[in-house]
Each structure stands twice: as structure tokens, then as C-alpha cells.
Amino acid sequence: MLRKTKSTSTTLYTFFKPSSPKQTKTDKICDPCDPANALPKYQLEKKERIMKGPFCPILEVYPRSKFGNTLRSFNKSWYLSFDWLEYSPKLDRAFCFPCRMFVTSSGLNAGYTDLAFTQVGFKNWNNATSKFKMHQNTKNHSHNVKAHSDFLNGKSINIVLDDCKTLLISQKEKQRQNNRSIMRRLIDVTLCLAKSGKPFRGHHENMSSVSKGLFLDFIDVLKKYDNVLENHLEKGALNAKYLSNRIQNDLLTCINNVMKRTIQSKIKNRTVSIMADETSDVGHHEQMSVIIRYFDEEKCQPIEYFIGLQRLLSVTSEAIFNSLSIQISNLNIEWKSVIAVCFDGASAMSGKFNGVQAKVKELNPNISYVHCYGHCLNLVLVDCLGSKNRVIFDFFGCVQLIYSFIEGSPSRHAVLERIVQETNIKLKTLKSLSTTRWACRSESVSAIENNYNSLLQCLKEISETTTQPDVRVQANGIIYQMKSYNFIFALYVMKPLLAQIQIVSAKLQTSNLNLLSAVTIVQALKKSLISLRSDEDEYSRLYNKVLDVCNAYQIEIPNVKHRRVSNKIDNNHTQHFSLDKKSEMKTTVYYVVLDDLFNGLENRFSQETLNLINSISCMMQHKIESLDIDILTKKFDLHRDEFEGELRLIRAIPDFEGGTSNNTIHKWLEKLSTLGNFINVQKTLKLFTTIPVTTCSCERAFSKLSLVKTKLRSQMKQNRLDSLMMIFVEQELASQINPDDIIDEFKSMYPATRRLEL
């Protein structure tokens, strides 16, 4: 467009380019008669269309110049063939607009500038077309045309800077996302090894090593099939590979922190129970495993989580309590939100005056202490098999001796395997007796009973073929014991008893068990012992089986020695006399074992939670009384009137069937959550099921501790051990965490020293 302005000397015209979305050019004042302000074709055409008046020069007729005998002038049609052409009416000369305006813009071929089209002007109309074509094909003209096009289509400096900044940000973001994808691969490798309890590092981790450890070997395998990881390892910075043992520790710590935060969010504002137990690891460090238990609303059942492994420098009650307080404070758990604690029977843990139990109750008197039911049952079994009953005592001594003799030598074990294969009997592995493994006695006795004939043949062959006199003596001694009447009697007496105890022990080790179900199955064991003691037919069948085995293996049955009552010290500790061996063994062995087991169950399972359990049992059977309501109201902080009203309504609803099993409580909780109006009853059952029964979860953590911290990994630091144990024990939770959360934790741990931008 063209705008007319006034001047003292000449008429000036202002040319400007209309605004575009990309840019706005500054107005330019030009003299159309000045060669420096000559117009290009497209602007001249606009000028011819717009300029109508006294100030518009006549451009339809161009001045003519004589060339030879012919008059020639500028031809308007040249504009159609050469869009870069411009004409000055004052000088009657043609110019190249791009070359004139951008001759020095690029600096390329500046020495080859055609002055005729930039400064002087072209007027040789006779050879104009050929000269125009020649100029149009020059490199200088091409560069200037490009500069002109870039100028018209270019952006302002602000937009250029913004585009550069946007490009830089996008490149950084792309690199950041690439770095995070690399970290996800490293996290997946870390989780895979940690969840399986495998060691990360090797003995030699240099590049020439064949076996550099599972972590680096895993990375080497992945990079063969993953271009992202391969580019990072091959082309990335040497100081940012992120494969060192320190990075492994950081990743493990980050995973541990994220998992604990997840647990913390699950138990926020909830009532929990605490379980703890100690053991020593292969490095002779005392380790305490801590488990929390809470009621999960979604799953409608109690859930247990391992929250950490704490090394104890001292096993005093004060040191244990302080370590336990540190563990739960890391999850923002206060003692006032704890409803129960479950420990073993050690005095440091269970002491009523100076134990951890007492220190916990000083902070919250409403906390209930539960002596682990699994430990109680094991202690009952250990106590009843003591030296009081010599027949049973000697029997278990022989069982342990058989295991040590056979399994202590690979050659002797090979003899037993060969004999079992020849007799087409499936070998049942011999088990060692242990005071801590709760089911070992039942398995040991069952293995002896199943392999009895094969064991005798094995011992006889070893005795005849051995060249070592002590081995021969031991084999003959074991044969003598195994072919004794007392051994056979104890074997068939203890096998059914231990089978029942093993079933109860396995039931007590389930994670979602509640106190009511635990007491119910213990009561069932008591009733079974009473029925065995009063059932003469059962004892007769057992004794006949003993006689059959003795006759089959030609074992002599000793006679009863008849004598008068004597006050002298001898091998008879009772004044009871029997007429036959059957009644003698029933009185001196069978009844003694049953009575010791029953009394042990009565004493060991009489805990402070017994009244609470009985009240819950009465409520579940719709037989609750006023005293039971008082106990439950005080324990669980209930509104008494509302609680009584809810119980009356529940008795009137047929869906709430009475019972004391774990399944019955679970059905009640599901129906109560559906109804939604029985707040007090629902709260009672939720809190009651939150109270733990055993510390079996701690024992299971110790089993995994023996797989993580082995002799080859005995120098592992405590932080790394705690993180590995957290992932190894809570494998399901570790599989559910978001890798991006781990990366963010890794980035924020040491933000100033991370070489990869995450």
C-alpha cells in the first residue's frame, strides 16, 4: 500500500507492507524519483492502482532513448518475466530490488556485485532481456533473493528467542524422559533380583570378568536387545552409567522408602497391632523383625505388613523398646493408636514389671499383650517331653541319634536310598529335632515310622560293612534301641498325638487368624486329649498295633515285675502296681503324656485376653450377657446403649448365624459393611480381628533373612539388608509400586550430585 505525504522540495510516498500474524514492518518513506527508492514490480502495480491524482507521476509512457536508428524504452511487460525488477522514473533506469537491498546481508560473493543493478542502474534497453536473464542466473542474485525471502518470511527477535527457548526445553525434556526410561530399566533389574533374594554383586566386576555378578550380567543381557540401554552404556557419559554399588544402594533405599510411604498411607488414622521377635543372623548380629497388623476395609480382613529389620546392640528391655519405638515412629504410628502387642515368652519381652510389655502399657494402658500362640504350643510340647517321662525322653533321643547317624554321612545316606529303592518304598526324608521348629517333631516321628524297616536294613548293612569300629558300635546301639519294646510303644503313642498338634500348629500360623478361632482350635485339642484318655478302646487298638509290630520284628515284650511297696530309691517312682504290661504302660507312659499335654495347654494359654475372647465368643453365638458387654465396651470404647440395641437387632436378623469360626466372623463383617448401621458391632469385630495371635510373620521374615544374608554376604551393611528384606518379604507390595515414584525419590535423595537430569 502507498500513503501520500507533503514535503517542501518534493512529493514523498510512504510504502509499507501490511501486517501479518508473524511480524510488523516499520513504515518506510521513499522518493519515487530516487534510484535508492525505486519500486519493484509488485509494489509498482499497487502504486499504479492506488495513486490517482496530481501527485502521481505518469508511468504508462516511459521515456525513449535512441539506440542506433531505433528509439527504445523500458517495457512494462518485463515485470511479468522478472519479478525482482524495479524501475526509477526519475533516472529512467532499472534496478534489481533484492540485490540493491540485500547486497551486503550475507557477505557471500560480495566482490561480484553487479553495480548496474544495485547502484548505477541498467538502461541498455536494446539488450535488456538477455542482460536480465544473465543477472538472474548469478550466484550473488540467488543469495540476495533468498535473503529477501527470509526477510519477508522471517520472525521478530522475540519470537526467534522464544522458539529457541522452546526448542531447548523440548530437547531437555526429551533427554530427561530418555534418562527416566533408563532408570526404569535399572529399577526393574533391581526389583527382580531383590524380590527373589538373589545377590547383586560378584567377586570381580571389571570389564574383563566373565562373571561380574547378577546385576551387571543382567544389564549386559538387556543391552543386547534394548537400544535405549545400549546407547546409554555405549555413548553415555562414563561418570553417569549408574551401575555402581552405591547406585544400587540408593535404588534399594528409594524402593524401601516408597514402600514404607505406601504402607504409611494405608494405615493412616487406623488402629494397629505390633508384632516383634528377635534372632541372630549369620554375621552374629541380633536382628529384630517388626510386623504391623491392621484391618483392611477393601479386603474386609486383617492385613499384616513387614515394616523393617532393626539391629539390636543390646537385648535389654529398654533397648528393645527404644528400637521398637523408632520403627513405628518412622511410619507416624503413636502408641495410643496401638491396640495390642504380640511377643514371645522371653522375660525381656513379656515381663510384667520391667519387660517391653510393661513399658508399652505405661504409655497406653489399654494395649493388650498376647503371648504368641505358636510359641505357647511349642513350649507345651517341649515341656511334656522332658526327663519326667523317661520312655518318651529316651525315644526322642534315639530319633535324633538316627538322624545324626544317617544324615551325617553321605555314604550312609546313599545306603538308605538304595535300600528304599530296592523295596519300592518312597523315602520320607529324616528330620532333625529342634526346639524352635514347631512341626519338626511330628515330621521326624512320621519319617521313622514310614522308613522303619528300611532303617533297620540300612543300619545292619552299615554295621557289617564298615571298617570303623565306632560306626559299628553306633549302628548296633541304634538297632538295639529301635528293636526295643519301649521305642515301639513310644513311636505309636506319639505319632497320632503329634499329628494333631501339627494340625493345630499349622492353623495357628495363618496370617488372617483371629483370637477366637485360635482359642477354638486349642479347645478342640484339649477335648481330643480328654477323649483319648477316657477311651479304653482307642488305647486297646493302639496297644494291639504295638504288639503286632513287636511280633513282626521279634521284639521281646518285657514282663511286669511283681513286688511289694518299697521306700528305697530305685527305678520305680510310683507305688502303683500293674498286673500286665498293657496297664503298666498306660499308667506310667500313656496317661502321663496326655496329662502333661493337657496341663501345659491349660497353663500356657491362660492369657489376659481370655476374658475378651470369651465375650466375643458369646456375642458371636448370640449368648452375650451384661458382663460381656461391659468388657467389650471398655476395651473398644463403645456406646453401651447403642451397642446393646445393635445386638438385639442382629439376633432378630436370620442372616447373622451364630458361630466361632474365622469364616463366621468374616461373613458378619461383610454383612455389617453392607448394612452400614451397626457401627459399634462392626467396630468391635474390626478391632478384635486386628489383635494378633502369633508372631509367625516375624518367623517367616527370619526364614527369608537366612536366604538374603548368607556366609558369602555376611559383610552386608544394615541399610542395604533392611531394604533387601523389605522387598523380599513384601513382594506383592513391591510389584505394585510406581517406578516414577522411585525415580522421584532417587532424584530428591541427592539432587546436587545426580549427573543425569531426571
Side-chain angles (χ1 to χ4, degrees):
M1 295 179 67
L2 182 146
R3 182 167 49 239
K4 181 173 68 174
T5 59
K6 290 289 185 176
S7 178
T8 57
S9 59
T10 183
T11 301
L12 301 179
Y13 294 91
T14 303
F15 297 92
F16 64 93
K17 187 173 184 290
S19 301
S20 65
K22 298 182 179 180
Q23 64 178 5
T24 301
K25 292 289 188 287
T26 305
D27 293 348
K28 181 179 179 182
I29 301 177
C30 303
D31 184 0
C33 296
D34 190 343
N37 298 317
L39 301 177
K41 180 193 74 171
Y42 64 89
Q43 289 186 348
L44 184 59
E45 290 175 347
K46 292 181 181 178
K47 174 183 174 183
E48 291 175 347
R49 290 195 302 269
I50 297 172
M51 295 175 59
K52 302 296 182 182
F55 299 100
C56 180
I58 300 175
L59 299 177
E60 286 77 5
V61 179
Y62 297 95
R64 295 176 177 270
S65 300
K66 189 174 182 180
F67 293 89
N69 296 326
T70 306
L71 293 175
R72 297 185 181 275
S73 66
F74 182 84
N75 192 347
K76 186 178 179 180
S77 63
W78 291 339
Y79 281 129
L80 301 177
S81 301
F82 308 100
D83 57 354
W84 46 267
L85 191 63
E86 63 178 352
Y87 175 77
S88 175
K90 181 179 180 180
L91 300 177
D92 188 25
R93 294 178 183 272
F95 294 87
C96 176
F97 182 79
C99 292
R100 182 171 63 84
M101 299 299 296
F102 300 95
V103 63
T104 60
S105 61
S106 63
L108 298 175
N109 300 316
Y112 298 93
T113 303
D114 191 350
L115 299 179
F117 289 91
T118 58
Q119 296 181 10
V120 179
F122 179 82
K123 196 176 179 179
N124 187 7
W125 312 128
N126 191 31
N127 299 321
T129 303
S130 61
K131 294 294 183 181
F132 290 164
K133 291 181 179 180
M134 186 181 300
H135 173 75
Q136 185 173 258
N137 294 329
T138 61
K139 291 184 178 180
N140 190 278
H141 175 80
S142 299
H143 290 308
N144 294 331
V145 169
K146 185 178 183 305
H148 176 229
S149 176
D150 293 342
F151 174 78
L152 294 178
N153 299 324
K155 303 177 181 178
S156 65
I157 186 63
N158 294 333
I159 297 177
V160 172
L161 292 176
D162 291 341
D163 291 344
C164 292
K165 184 177 180 181
T166 303
L167 180 61
L168 182 62
I169 292 174
S170 64
Q171 291 176 348
K172 286 186 176 181
E173 179 64 20
K174 183 178 180 180
Q175 183 62 39
R176 190 180 72 88
Q177 292 298 332
N178 183 68
N179 294 339
R180 292 179 76 91
S181 65
I182 294 169
M183 291 302 301
R184 291 189 188 95
R185 288 158 172 77
L186 298 180
I187 290 171
D188 289 341
V189 173
T190 303
L191 283 172
C192 179
L193 294 177
K195 285 192 297 184
S196 57
K198 301 300 182 182
F200 281 57
R201 306 191 63 193
H203 188 64
H204 296 290
E205 296 184 346
N206 51 29
M207 298 300 295
S208 60
S209 177
V210 178
S211 179
K212 294 177 286 189
L214 290 179
F215 184 83
L216 295 180
D217 288 342
F218 212 147
I219 296 296
D220 289 341
V221 173
L222 284 180
K223 75 177 184 180
K224 295 179 180 179
Y225 308 99
D226 190 346
N227 294 330
V228 176
L229 193 59
E230 182 182 9
N231 292 334
H232 168 68
L233 297 177
E234 299 295 336
K235 302 178 182 179
L238 296 178
N239 61 352
K241 301 275 186 200
Y242 280 11
L243 302 179
S244 66
N245 60 323
R246 294 183 180 179
I247 295 297
Q248 295 174 20
N249 292 337
D250 290 347
L251 288 176
L252 291 171
T253 302
C254 292
I255 296 172
N256 186 18
N257 294 340
V258 173
M259 292 179 65
K260 286 185 177 179
R261 280 203 301 270
T262 304
I263 296 175
Q264 181 178 342
S265 64
K266 291 178 179 292
I267 64 175
K268 186 178 181 180
N269 299 326
R270 295 181 184 270
T271 302
V272 300
S273 296
I274 307 295
M275 294 166 281
D277 201 0
E278 312 94 40
T279 190
S280 58
D281 58 24
V282 70
H284 305 289
H285 295 166
E286 190 72 16
Q287 303 285 356
M288 180 176 68
S289 174
V290 183
I291 306 289
I292 62 168
R293 180 184 175 103
Y294 74 100
F295 188 86
D296 192 301
E297 302 286 349
E298 297 180 357
K299 298 181 179 180
C300 200
Q301 64 180 10
I303 302 296
E304 295 179 356
Y305 278 121
F306 173 83
I307 63 172
L309 198 68
Q310 182 75 26
R311 181 185 175 185
L312 300 176
L313 300 178
S314 175
V315 291
T316 61
S317 60
E318 185 71 24
I320 296 175
F321 173 75
N322 292 336
S323 299
L324 192 59
S325 299
I326 292 173
Q327 282 287 341
I328 67 173
S329 64
N330 292 335
L331 297 177
N332 294 332
I333 300 175
E334 298 180 356
W335 285 111
K336 65 180 181 180
S337 62
V338 178
I339 190 174
V341 292
C342 184
F343 307 134
D344 57 16
S347 59
M349 303 294 290
S350 62
K352 294 183 179 180
F353 301 104
N354 294 319
V356 177
Q357 172 197 178
K359 296 182 182 301
V360 167
K361 289 185 176 181
E362 289 178 0
L363 300 177
N364 184 2
N366 198 38
I367 292 179
S368 300
Y369 165 67
V370 179
H371 185 187
C372 173
Y373 276 43
H375 282 91
C376 289
L377 184 62
N378 191 58
L379 290 174
V380 169
L381 192 58
V382 171
D383 293 342
C384 76
L385 303 180
S387 59
K388 178 181 177 181
N389 192 332
R390 303 300 299 183
V391 174
I392 303 299
F393 186 75
D394 294 342
F395 166 74
F396 279 104
C398 186
V399 170
Q400 180 63 27
L401 185 59
I402 294 171
Y403 170 81
S404 301
F405 183 77
I406 298 296
E407 302 298 333
S409 171
S411 60
R412 293 194 285 269
H413 178 79
V415 174
L416 178 61
E417 282 188 343
R418 178 174 53 79
I419 292 175
V420 169
Q421 291 176 359
E422 291 175 354
T423 55
N424 295 324
I425 298 176
K426 185 177 180 180
L427 176 63
K428 194 166 185 178
T429 306
L430 301 178
K431 300 290 184 180
S432 174
L433 299 181
S434 174
T435 57
T436 56
R437 292 184 64 249
W438 299 338
C440 65
R441 284 177 171 77
S442 176
E443 296 172 354
S444 301
V445 173
S446 178
I448 295 295
E449 195 269 340
N450 289 346
N451 302 323
Y452 183 78
N453 186 38
S454 300
L455 285 171
L456 288 178
Q457 297 182 33
C458 173
L459 292 170
K460 183 177 180 181
E461 181 175 335
I462 293 172
S463 175
E464 294 175 352
T465 59
T466 184
T467 58
Q468 302 177 8
D470 57 335
V471 173
R472 176 180 173 83
V473 171
Q474 292 180 29
N476 291 333
I478 295 174
I479 293 174
Y480 176 80
Q481 290 292 333
M482 291 182 65
K483 298 186 71 172
S484 65
Y485 170 80
N486 288 345
F487 183 89
I488 300 299
F489 184 84
L491 177 63
Y492 286 95
V493 166
M494 294 307 303
K495 183 182 176 182
L497 293 178
L498 292 175
Q500 296 181 60
I501 294 174
Q502 184 181 14
I503 295 173
V504 176
S505 177
K507 180 66 176 178
L508 293 177
Q509 294 179 46
T510 54
S511 59
N512 60 347
L513 185 68
N514 58 73
L515 284 172
L516 182 58
S517 301
V519 171
T520 301
I521 194 169
V522 172
Q523 294 291 344
L525 180 59
K526 292 180 184 179
K527 293 179 181 179
S528 176
L529 295 177
I530 294 174
S531 64
L532 287 176
R533 198 181 193 287
S534 59
D535 191 350
E536 293 292 336
D537 295 336
E538 180 66 25
Y539 176 74
S540 297
R541 287 192 294 270
L542 184 149
Y543 192 77
N544 291 334
K545 187 181 296 184
V546 173
L547 294 179
D548 293 340
V549 174
C550 291
N551 293 331
Y553 290 95
Q554 299 179 355
I555 298 175
E556 181 181 359
I557 301 176
N559 297 323
V560 179
K561 184 178 180 181
H562 299 282
R563 59 184 179 82
R564 63 183 179 83
V565 177
S566 175
N567 293 327
K568 294 181 180 180
I569 299 176
D570 55 11
N571 58 356
N572 192 3
H573 300 284
T574 179
Q575 295 182 351
H576 179 79
F577 291 94
S578 301
L579 298 177
D580 55 5
K581 197 64 177 177
K582 177 180 178 181
S583 60
E584 180 186 24
M585 297 301 289
K586 180 175 68 174
T587 304
T588 59
V589 179
Y590 187 68
Y591 281 170
V592 173
V593 172
L594 294 177
D595 292 342
D596 288 344
L597 286 174
F598 183 83
N599 294 331
L601 293 174
E602 284 287 334
N603 296 330
R604 293 288 183 180
F605 288 93
S606 297
Q607 301 186 22
E608 63 180 60
T609 56
L610 194 58
N611 293 332
L612 175 64
I613 297 170
N614 292 331
S615 299
I616 293 292
S617 177
C618 294
M619 184 187 77
M620 297 296 299
Q621 297 178 23
H622 304 298
K623 300 178 181 179
I624 193 167
E625 298 179 356
S626 178
L627 180 60
D628 299 324
I629 294 177
D630 292 337
I631 294 174
L632 297 178
T633 302
K634 181 180 179 181
K635 177 64 179 177
F636 301 122
D637 191 19
L638 307 175
H639 191 281
R640 182 183 176 90
D641 295 336
E642 294 180 358
F643 184 51
E644 290 180 347
E646 292 174 6
L647 291 176
R648 293 191 188 97
L649 290 174
I650 287 177
R651 282 196 293 267
I653 299 176
D655 292 340
F656 289 91
E657 299 178 356
T660 58
S661 66
N662 194 40
N663 190 29
T664 303
I665 295 179
H666 184 69
K667 289 181 179 179
W668 274 44
L669 285 169
E670 287 183 342
K671 294 175 182 177
L672 290 172
S673 62
T674 303
L675 296 175
N677 295 324
F678 300 87
I679 300 175
N680 292 278
V681 176
Q682 189 177 14
K683 180 181 178 181
T684 300
L685 293 179
K686 286 181 180 179
L687 294 179
F688 178 74
T689 54
T690 303
I691 300 176
V693 178
T694 66
T695 59
C696 293
S697 297
C698 299
E699 300 291 341
R700 284 188 279 268
F702 293 150
S703 298
K704 294 195 173 183
L705 174 63
S706 63
L707 300 177
V708 174
K709 193 170 184 180
T710 60
K711 290 182 178 180
L712 296 178
R713 306 168 73 184
S714 60
Q715 300 300 319
M716 185 186 305
K717 298 297 182 182
Q718 186 65 28
N719 291 337
R720 184 182 178 100
L721 176 62
D722 184 28
S723 300
L724 286 172
M725 282 293 297
M726 186 71 183
I727 303 171
F728 193 25
V729 175
E730 297 297 339
Q731 298 178 5
E732 182 178 357
L733 181 62
S735 301
Q736 297 173 355
I737 59 178
N738 189 357
D740 290 332
D741 295 337
I742 302 174
I743 296 174
D744 294 337
E745 179 72 16
F746 180 80
K747 178 177 65 176
S748 62
M749 182 180 293
Y750 303 108
T753 59
R754 297 303 185 201
R755 293 187 173 92
L756 289 181
E757 185 177 359
L758 301 172

